Amino acid sequence: MTTDLDKPDTPPPDASLEFWEQRIKASRWLITKTTALGATAAVLGVLGQGWLEDAAPLFPFISQNYGIWQAGYLLALLIIFLVWAAAMRQKFGLLANSKQGFQVQLRIDEQNERRAQRAQEARERRQKLAEERDPVLFFKSAARSKKFDY
């Protein structure tokens, strides 16, 4: 049994411009959401540092090892930032890939349109030549005999 998660993120073979436009729009929306999450994490990171300082006198296990708690908190913030930066890089890569796919699809559509136009012109030219040409008679106008005539 395969799910959508098992399939790689590749466009269908007959991907249209609408597919690429939708993918670009979705990529931009993902970048916006990831940026908002990063900004929220930064605000909570600044507030969390103050909350840790305020909690130190209330909880003896924090005040006894405040330096370790602060280092752990900064390490957690650093890890969250690195994960966020990797996510942003992935989202920008997806956007660039989608834009490139859109451009390639545009070129493919233009090429197919030119080919169809050339094929139509060639058909019209052949039809015009066939109409201008004199009809060729393949059979003799004389009556046929019942014997084999070669």
Side-chain angles (χ1 to χ4, degrees):
M1 182 170 118
T2 61
T3 62
D4 289 336
L5 298 175
D6 296 334
K7 297 176 185 172
D9 187 28
T10 56
D14 58 341
S16 63
L17 288 177
E18 292 84 27
F19 169 81
W20 291 109
E21 289 171 349
Q22 188 177 35
R23 190 166 164 175
I24 289 170
K25 186 177 179 181
S27 299
R28 288 183 177 150
W29 181 242
L30 287 173
I31 289 171
T32 302
K33 288 193 308 187
T34 307
T35 303
L37 284 174
T40 305
V43 168
L44 290 176
V46 170
L47 291 176
Q49 183 66 33
W51 292 336
L52 182 63
E53 290 173 5
D54 292 342
L58 299 175
F59 300 105
F61 59 90
I62 292 178
S63 62
Q64 292 169 354
N65 301 316
Y66 182 72
I68 294 172
W69 278 90
Q70 190 173 24
Y73 183 75
L74 290 176
L75 180 65
L77 287 179
L78 180 64
I79 289 171
I80 289 170
F81 172 75
L82 291 176
V83 169
W84 177 80
M88 287 298 288
R89 183 169 187 231
Q90 179 188 20
K91 304 301 185 241
F92 278 111
L94 180 63
L95 179 63
N97 182 321
S98 298
K99 285 182 177 180
Q100 182 180 10
F102 181 78
Q103 294 299 323
V104 167
Q105 189 64 41
L106 259 176
R107 287 195 307 266
I108 289 172
D109 288 350
E110 289 172 0
Q111 179 67 19
N112 288 342
E113 189 176 314
R114 282 189 298 237
R115 281 185 183 175
Q117 179 67 27
R118 281 188 296 219
Q120 178 67 24
E121 290 171 358
R123 256 185 260 116
E124 290 172 358
R125 201 173 331 115
R126 282 193 301 268
Q127 185 179 9
K128 193 176 191 180
L129 286 175
E131 290 172 358
E132 291 174 357
R133 212 177 315 148
D134 292 332
V136 177
L137 299 176
F138 291 105
F139 299 109
K140 297 178 188 177
S141 59
R144 294 181 130 179
S145 68
K146 300 209 182 239
K147 295 187 177 185
F148 297 105
D149 287 337
Y150 292 106

